[in-house]
Amino acid sequence: MRRVPEPELMDDPEQARAYAEADFGEANDLFVRLFGELVGGGSLTGQVVDLGCGPADIPLRLARVYPDLRFVLVDGSEAMLAHAQAIWARAGLLERAQMLQASLPPRDPLPASPYDAVISNSLIHHLHAPDPLWVLLRSCGKPGAPVLVMDLRRPESRAEQEALVETYAGDAPSVLRRDFRNSLAAAFTLEEIRQQIENAGLAHLAVRAVSNRHLAVSGRL
Ligand SMILES: C[S@@+](CC[C@H](N)C(=O)[O-])C[C@H]1O[C@@H](n2cnc3c(N)ncnc32)[C@H](O)[C@@H]1O
Protein backbone atom coordinates (compact mmCIF):
# COMPACT_ATOMS: atom_id res chain seq x y z
CA MET A 1 0.00 0.00 0.00
CA ARG A 2 1.30 3.50 -0.90
CA ARG A 3 2.08 5.77 2.07
CA VAL A 4 -0.39 8.64 2.60
CA PRO A 5 0.99 11.14 5.17
CA GLU A 6 -1.38 12.60 7.75
CA PRO A 7 -1.13 15.94 9.61
CA GLU A 8 1.79 16.01 12.07
CA LEU A 9 0.31 17.61 15.19
CA MET A 10 -2.87 16.39 16.88
CA ASP A 11 -3.88 19.85 18.03
CA ASP A 12 -7.62 19.77 17.39
CA PRO A 13 -9.19 19.74 20.92
CA GLU A 14 -11.84 17.16 19.99
CA GLN A 15 -9.24 14.89 18.41
CA ALA A 16 -6.93 15.23 21.43
CA ARG A 17 -9.79 14.53 23.85
CA ALA A 18 -10.92 11.41 21.95
CA TYR A 19 -7.32 10.15 21.89
CA ALA A 20 -6.72 10.89 25.59
CA GLU A 21 -9.95 9.11 26.58
CA ALA A 22 -9.35 6.06 24.38
CA ASP A 23 -8.15 2.80 25.87
CA PHE A 24 -4.69 2.01 24.46
CA GLY A 25 -3.94 -0.28 27.40
CA GLU A 26 -2.94 -3.29 25.29
CA ALA A 27 -0.44 -1.38 23.13
CA ASN A 28 0.84 0.70 26.05
CA ASP A 29 1.39 -2.42 28.18
CA LEU A 30 3.28 -3.93 25.26
CA PHE A 31 5.53 -0.85 25.23
CA VAL A 32 6.21 -1.16 28.97
CA ARG A 33 7.01 -4.87 28.58
CA LEU A 34 9.41 -4.22 25.68
CA PHE A 35 11.09 -1.46 27.71
CA GLY A 36 11.53 -3.87 30.64
CA GLU A 37 13.08 -6.49 28.34
CA LEU A 38 15.43 -3.84 26.96
CA VAL A 39 16.71 -2.52 30.28
CA GLY A 40 16.67 -5.84 32.17
CA GLY A 41 15.83 -6.19 35.85
CA GLY A 42 16.87 -3.91 38.69
CA SER A 43 16.25 -0.28 39.46
CA LEU A 44 16.67 2.52 36.94
CA THR A 45 17.49 6.12 37.67
CA GLY A 46 17.81 9.31 35.66
CA GLN A 47 15.88 11.22 33.05
CA VAL A 48 13.80 9.71 30.25
CA VAL A 49 12.60 11.77 27.31
CA ASP A 50 9.35 10.84 25.55
CA LEU A 51 9.24 12.33 22.05
CA GLY A 52 5.65 13.00 20.93
CA CYS A 53 4.25 12.08 24.34
CA GLY A 54 0.57 12.87 23.60
CA PRO A 55 -1.46 12.34 26.80
CA ALA A 56 1.61 10.60 28.27
CA ASP A 57 0.00 7.37 29.42
CA ILE A 58 3.07 5.28 28.52
CA PRO A 59 5.55 7.31 30.59
CA LEU A 60 3.01 7.33 33.42
CA ARG A 61 2.97 3.51 33.36
CA LEU A 62 6.79 3.55 33.33
CA ALA A 63 6.86 6.04 36.21
CA ARG A 64 4.88 3.59 38.32
CA VAL A 65 7.23 0.69 37.51
CA TYR A 66 10.46 2.72 37.91
CA PRO A 67 9.99 5.09 40.88
CA ASP A 68 13.44 6.68 40.49
CA LEU A 69 12.96 7.84 36.91
CA ARG A 70 12.04 11.40 35.95
CA PHE A 71 10.49 12.32 32.62
CA VAL A 72 10.76 15.07 30.04
CA LEU A 73 7.54 14.90 28.02
CA VAL A 74 7.63 16.66 24.65
CA ASP A 75 4.79 17.28 22.23
CA GLY A 76 3.91 20.02 19.75
CA SER A 77 0.23 19.96 20.63
CA GLU A 78 -0.95 22.22 23.45
CA ALA A 79 -4.22 20.26 23.64
CA MET A 80 -2.39 16.95 24.13
CA LEU A 81 -0.09 18.40 26.78
CA ALA A 82 -3.11 19.73 28.69
CA HIS A 83 -4.39 16.13 28.88
CA ALA A 84 -0.95 14.89 29.93
CA GLN A 85 -0.84 17.52 32.67
CA ALA A 86 -4.28 16.52 33.97
CA ILE A 87 -3.56 12.77 33.84
CA TRP A 88 -0.22 13.10 35.69
CA ALA A 89 -1.78 15.47 38.24
CA ARG A 90 -4.59 12.94 38.93
CA ALA A 91 -1.92 10.27 39.44
CA GLY A 92 -0.09 12.54 41.89
CA LEU A 93 3.14 12.24 39.87
CA LEU A 94 3.39 15.69 38.33
CA GLU A 95 6.57 16.55 40.22
CA ARG A 96 8.42 13.80 38.30
CA ALA A 97 7.56 15.24 34.89
CA GLN A 98 8.65 18.27 32.93
CA MET A 99 6.31 19.02 30.03
CA LEU A 100 7.50 20.90 26.99
CA GLN A 101 5.52 22.13 24.02
CA ALA A 102 7.89 21.97 21.06
CA SER A 103 7.82 20.99 17.45
CA LEU A 104 10.17 18.06 16.81
CA PRO A 105 12.97 18.22 15.98
CA PRO A 106 13.35 21.37 18.12
CA ARG A 107 15.48 24.40 17.25
CA ASP A 108 17.15 24.44 20.69
CA PRO A 109 18.55 21.50 22.65
CA LEU A 110 15.93 19.75 24.77
CA PRO A 111 16.04 20.58 28.51
CA ALA A 112 18.18 18.36 30.76
CA SER A 113 19.61 16.46 27.79
CA PRO A 114 21.42 14.16 27.19
CA TYR A 115 18.99 11.63 28.62
CA ASP A 116 19.42 8.26 30.29
CA ALA A 117 16.74 6.74 28.05
CA VAL A 118 14.84 7.82 24.95
CA ILE A 119 11.33 6.60 24.17
CA SER A 120 8.68 7.39 21.59
CA ASN A 121 5.40 5.77 20.61
CA SER A 122 3.35 6.50 17.51
CA LEU A 123 5.20 9.69 16.60
CA ILE A 124 7.27 8.62 13.58
CA HIS A 125 4.30 7.91 11.33
CA HIS A 126 3.10 11.52 11.80
CA LEU A 127 6.32 12.98 10.43
CA HIS A 128 6.43 14.06 6.82
CA ALA A 129 10.24 13.87 6.91
CA PRO A 130 11.28 11.37 9.62
CA ASP A 131 15.09 11.42 9.09
CA PRO A 132 15.79 14.47 11.35
CA LEU A 133 13.89 12.80 14.20
CA TRP A 134 16.25 9.80 14.16
CA VAL A 135 19.22 12.19 14.21
CA LEU A 136 17.69 13.96 17.22
CA LEU A 137 17.10 10.63 18.92
CA ARG A 138 20.74 9.64 18.42
CA SER A 139 22.05 12.95 19.76
CA CYS A 140 19.73 13.49 22.73
CA GLY A 141 20.60 10.29 24.62
CA LYS A 142 23.75 9.42 26.56
CA PRO A 143 26.09 6.79 25.12
CA GLY A 144 24.65 3.41 26.13
CA ALA A 145 21.19 4.86 26.80
CA PRO A 146 18.32 2.47 26.02
CA VAL A 147 16.13 3.54 23.09
CA LEU A 148 12.66 2.22 22.39
CA VAL A 149 10.54 3.52 19.53
CA MET A 150 7.27 1.79 18.76
CA ASP A 151 4.88 2.68 15.96
CA LEU A 152 2.25 1.33 13.64
CA ARG A 153 3.29 -0.69 10.61
CA ARG A 154 1.71 0.12 7.25
CA PRO A 155 -0.61 -2.68 6.11
CA GLU A 156 0.05 -4.33 2.76
CA SER A 157 -3.43 -3.70 1.36
CA ARG A 158 -6.58 -1.64 1.84
CA ALA A 159 -8.36 -4.84 2.89
CA GLU A 160 -5.83 -5.42 5.69
CA GLN A 161 -6.12 -1.76 6.72
CA GLU A 162 -9.93 -2.01 6.95
CA ALA A 163 -9.75 -5.29 8.86
CA LEU A 164 -7.43 -3.68 11.46
CA VAL A 165 -9.73 -0.65 11.76
CA GLU A 166 -12.71 -2.95 12.28
CA THR A 167 -10.91 -5.12 14.85
CA TYR A 168 -9.28 -2.39 16.92
CA ALA A 169 -11.51 0.65 16.42
CA GLY A 170 -14.85 -0.88 15.36
CA ASP A 171 -16.62 0.51 18.43
CA ALA A 172 -14.54 3.68 18.78
CA PRO A 173 -15.84 7.23 18.22
CA SER A 174 -15.71 8.21 14.53
CA VAL A 175 -12.84 10.67 15.05
CA LEU A 176 -10.68 7.86 16.47
CA ARG A 177 -11.67 5.44 13.71
CA ARG A 178 -10.72 8.07 11.12
CA ASP A 179 -7.40 8.78 12.83
CA PHE A 180 -6.53 5.09 13.14
CA ARG A 181 -7.32 4.47 9.44
CA ASN A 182 -5.20 7.51 8.44
CA SER A 183 -2.38 6.53 10.81
CA LEU A 184 -2.15 3.03 9.33
CA ALA A 185 -1.87 4.58 5.86
CA ALA A 186 0.77 7.05 7.09
CA ALA A 187 2.84 4.41 8.87
CA PHE A 188 6.15 3.09 7.54
CA THR A 189 7.12 -0.46 6.65
CA LEU A 190 9.89 -2.37 8.44
CA GLU A 191 12.13 -1.86 5.40
CA GLU A 192 11.52 1.90 5.34
CA ILE A 193 12.32 2.19 9.06
CA ARG A 194 15.51 0.13 8.58
CA GLN A 195 16.58 2.57 5.88
CA GLN A 196 15.81 5.56 8.12
CA ILE A 197 17.87 4.29 11.05
CA GLU A 198 20.72 3.35 8.73
CA ASN A 199 20.69 6.92 7.33
CA ALA A 200 20.97 8.22 10.92
CA GLY A 201 23.90 5.96 11.84
CA LEU A 202 21.70 3.77 14.04
CA ALA A 203 21.83 0.57 12.01
CA HIS A 204 22.86 -1.40 15.14
CA LEU A 205 19.35 -0.95 16.63
CA ALA A 206 16.96 -3.88 16.17
CA VAL A 207 13.85 -3.37 14.02
CA ARG A 208 11.08 -5.94 14.30
CA ALA A 209 7.36 -6.50 14.14
CA VAL A 210 5.97 -6.76 17.68
CA SER A 211 2.26 -7.26 16.91
CA ASN A 212 0.00 -7.59 13.89
CA ARG A 213 0.07 -3.77 13.55
CA HIS A 214 3.13 -2.51 15.44
CA LEU A 215 6.85 -2.39 14.91
CA ALA A 216 9.58 -1.55 17.39
CA VAL A 217 13.09 -0.16 17.14
CA SER A 218 15.17 -0.95 20.20
CA GLY A 219 18.69 -1.09 21.50
CA ARG A 220 21.27 1.17 23.11
CA LEU A 221 22.96 4.29 21.81
C1 LIG B 1 -0.55 9.25 17.90
S1 LIG B 1 -0.04 10.42 19.09
C2 LIG B 1 0.93 9.40 20.17
C3 LIG B 1 0.97 9.95 21.56
C4 LIG B 1 1.69 9.09 22.61
N1 LIG B 1 3.09 8.92 22.31
C5 LIG B 1 1.00 7.79 22.80
O1 LIG B 1 1.60 6.76 22.54
O2 LIG B 1 -0.15 7.77 23.23
C6 LIG B 1 1.23 11.34 18.25
C7 LIG B 1 1.65 12.60 18.99
O3 LIG B 1 2.79 13.16 18.35
C8 LIG B 1 2.63 14.56 18.29
N2 LIG B 1 3.42 15.08 17.17
C9 LIG B 1 3.29 14.74 15.88
N3 LIG B 1 4.20 15.37 15.13
C10 LIG B 1 4.93 16.14 15.97
C11 LIG B 1 6.02 17.04 15.82
N4 LIG B 1 6.58 17.27 14.61
N5 LIG B 1 6.51 17.67 16.91
C12 LIG B 1 5.98 17.43 18.14
N6 LIG B 1 4.95 16.59 18.35
C13 LIG B 1 4.42 15.95 17.29
C14 LIG B 1 1.13 14.78 18.12
O4 LIG B 1 0.73 16.07 18.51
C15 LIG B 1 0.57 13.67 19.01
O5 LIG B 1 0.36 14.10 20.33
Side-chain angles (χ1 to χ4, degrees):
M1 207 172 106
R2 190 175 57 86
R3 179 176 192 239
V4 183
E6 64 173 340
E8 292 206 348
L9 296 188
M10 296 177 68
D11 49 7
D12 168 42
E14 192 205 339
Q15 178 190 38
R17 188 177 52 78
Y19 191 88
E21 288 176 358
D23 179 7
F24 293 112
E26 185 194 333
N28 293 358
D29 278 346
L30 171 62
F31 193 101
V32 172
R33 183 165 60 74
L34 294 175
F35 186 83
E37 288 170 8
L38 175 62
V39 300
S43 64
L44 267 190
T45 59
Q47 293 266 4
V48 181
V49 68
D50 184 357
L51 303 171
C53 64
D57 179 63
I58 287 175
L60 184 64
R61 288 170 192 248
L62 290 173
R64 291 189 170 119
V65 178
Y66 303 99
D68 296 326
L69 285 181
R70 300 181 62 79
F71 294 82
V72 174
L73 307 175
V74 189
D75 203 285
S77 162
E78 187 180 351
M80 279 293 194
L81 284 176
H83 288 289
Q85 175 95 15
I87 289 167
W88 278 64
R90 266 203 306 279
L93 291 175
L94 211 43
E95 80 281 356
R96 287 173 57 200
Q98 178 177 357
M99 298 187 189
L100 176 71
Q101 187 185 355
S103 193
L104 293 166
R107 260 177 311 188
D108 301 318
L110 291 169
S113 61
Y115 301 106
D116 299 282
V118 184
I119 62 170
S120 184
N121 183 58
S122 277
L123 166 69
I124 295 289
H125 76 264
H126 279 277
L127 302 179
H128 298 172
D131 284 353
L133 199 279
W134 293 109
V135 173
L136 166 71
L137 190 141
R138 194 189 64 197
S139 62
C140 77
K142 294 179 182 170
V147 170
L148 178 59
V149 175
M150 196 168 96
D151 212 311
L152 293 168
R153 236 168 352 116
R154 193 163 75 249
E156 294 197 348
S157 64
R158 291 260 168 230
E160 190 190 342
Q161 177 192 24
E162 284 313 311
L164 289 170
V165 171
E166 206 37 53
T167 304
Y168 297 104
D171 299 330
S174 62
V175 62
L176 269 186
R177 250 197 333 274
R178 177 206 67 192
D179 281 357
F180 185 47
R181 180 179 289 110
N182 291 345
S183 292
L184 286 167
F188 294 101
T189 63
L190 287 171
E191 291 67 32
E192 288 164 346
I193 293 284
R194 281 196 187 101
Q195 189 59 57
Q196 291 168 20
I197 65 169
E198 194 179 319
N199 295 346
L202 291 168
H204 64 285
L205 298 181
V207 182
R208 65 204 155 114
V210 290
S211 83
N212 62 351
R213 60 203 186 283
H214 295 103
L215 58 78
V217 177
S218 63
R220 288 182 181 267
L221 292 175

